[in-house]
Amino acid sequence: MEAYKEEFIHFMIDCGVLRFGSFVTKSGRKTPFFVNTGSYQTGPQLRRLGGYYARAIHDAFGLDFDVLFGPAYKGIPLSVAATMAIGEDYGKEIRYCSNRKEEKDHGDKGILLGSKIADGDRVVIIEDVTTAGTSIRETLPLIRAQGDVETLGLVVSVDRMERGTGTKSALTEIGETYGLKTTAIVTMQEVVECLWNKEYNGRVIIDDEIKAAIDDYYKLYGAE
């Protein structure tokens, strides 16, 4: 595993973003692990997060694109943090764009925040975690309604590696359905590899009991 991936996993633990226990996802699945990017709370945390996203975007897509789009609400700070990191780390100016939940009819009118999207723009979408692919199905039509736009792909922080609407993973389904390249900073397989029966800051994060719960979860919801 690349060093930055292990650093990112430990970073999520430190920030309380990656937790283990008993949770229910937005799609209604009972899960032994939960990823909540809303738990990043400080400027330095967001700067580090943006750097990890920037690395994943650079490695998967290069930097030959124009706009990084973050769907409301959690995608808004993600798009800002990642475009700032891309500028600082790689010297590339990428525009950020997000959407409002409701269209504004006065002042800065419209549905979009940040940069507008125009004909010819190449767009990468940034999200926190995709479980069932619901958000992307809402986001893509909005982006494509802005003009003759090329949507290159989707980057998330953690690939949960579980089924979407069929037997394949949500990320794989999204890629095949919409013709997008998809990537993640880390996968849950890498998370388990990094943490299972290994001490971090004086404790074992994933012990045999939690590992068994994760295995049972994937027997029910794991992708092919």
Side-chain angles (χ1 to χ4, degrees):
M1 186 189 310
E2 293 173 273
Y4 88 95
K5 291 176 177 282
E6 187 170 344
E7 288 176 8
F8 177 64
I9 293 166
H10 291 158
F11 174 61
M12 287 192 291
I13 296 293
D14 292 341
C15 296
V17 169
L18 174 61
R19 294 183 291 155
F20 298 90
S22 180
F23 310 94
V24 178
T25 67
K26 185 178 180 180
S27 58
R29 296 173 179 174
K30 293 182 179 179
T31 173
F33 56 90
F34 190 67
V35 180
N36 179 20
T37 56
S39 293
Y40 295 114
Q41 298 177 352
T42 70
Q45 287 175 351
L46 285 174
R47 174 59 185 89
R48 283 190 64 184
L49 176 63
Y52 292 123
Y53 267 112
R55 173 69 182 271
I57 291 167
H58 173 270
D59 290 354
F61 303 105
L63 297 175
D64 189 21
F65 66 98
D66 306 291
V67 178
L68 188 62
F69 186 92
Y73 288 104
K74 288 184 180 178
I76 297 174
L78 298 181
S79 64
V80 173
T83 51
M84 290 175 67
I86 289 171
E88 293 173 7
D89 296 347
Y90 297 100
K92 175 72 174 183
E93 189 170 287
I94 300 292
R95 290 145 44 208
Y96 89 90
C97 180
S98 296
N99 64 298
R100 296 182 173 97
K101 287 290 187 179
E102 296 180 357
E103 189 165 354
K104 188 177 178 183
D105 61 3
H106 62 281
D108 181 20
K109 296 181 180 180
I111 197 71
L112 300 181
L113 299 167
S115 170
K116 304 302 182 186
I117 300 175
D119 287 348
D121 278 340
R122 294 154 298 175
V123 180
V124 172
I125 301 170
I126 183 170
E127 287 201 289
D128 57 347
V129 178
T130 295
T131 301
T134 304
S135 175
I136 200 73
R137 281 183 265 276
E138 298 171 351
T139 299
L140 267 175
L142 188 155
I143 293 174
R144 291 173 175 174
Q146 306 307 311
D148 183 13
V149 175
E150 183 181 2
T151 311
L152 301 181
L154 167 68
V155 58
V156 299
S157 60
V158 180
D159 179 359
R160 290 180 59 99
M161 301 178 66
E162 58 191 81
R163 295 196 303 270
T165 57
T167 59
K168 297 180 180 180
S169 74
L171 280 182
T172 299
E173 283 184 355
I174 288 167
E176 293 181 351
T177 301
Y178 299 105
L180 299 177
K181 182 175 183 178
T182 60
T183 193
I185 302 174
V186 294
T187 67
M188 273 307 298
Q189 181 178 350
E190 290 170 326
V191 169
V192 173
E193 176 188 338
C194 176
L195 298 176
W196 180 29
N197 280 341
K198 297 176 183 177
E199 280 198 7
Y200 175 65
N201 282 347
R203 65 189 181 104
V204 174
I205 308 297
I206 300 180
D207 57 18
D208 289 337
E209 182 178 354
I210 294 175
K211 175 64 161 55
I214 293 172
D215 290 344
D216 288 343
Y217 182 77
Y218 280 115
K219 288 176 184 176
L220 289 174
Y221 301 115
E224 288 183 346

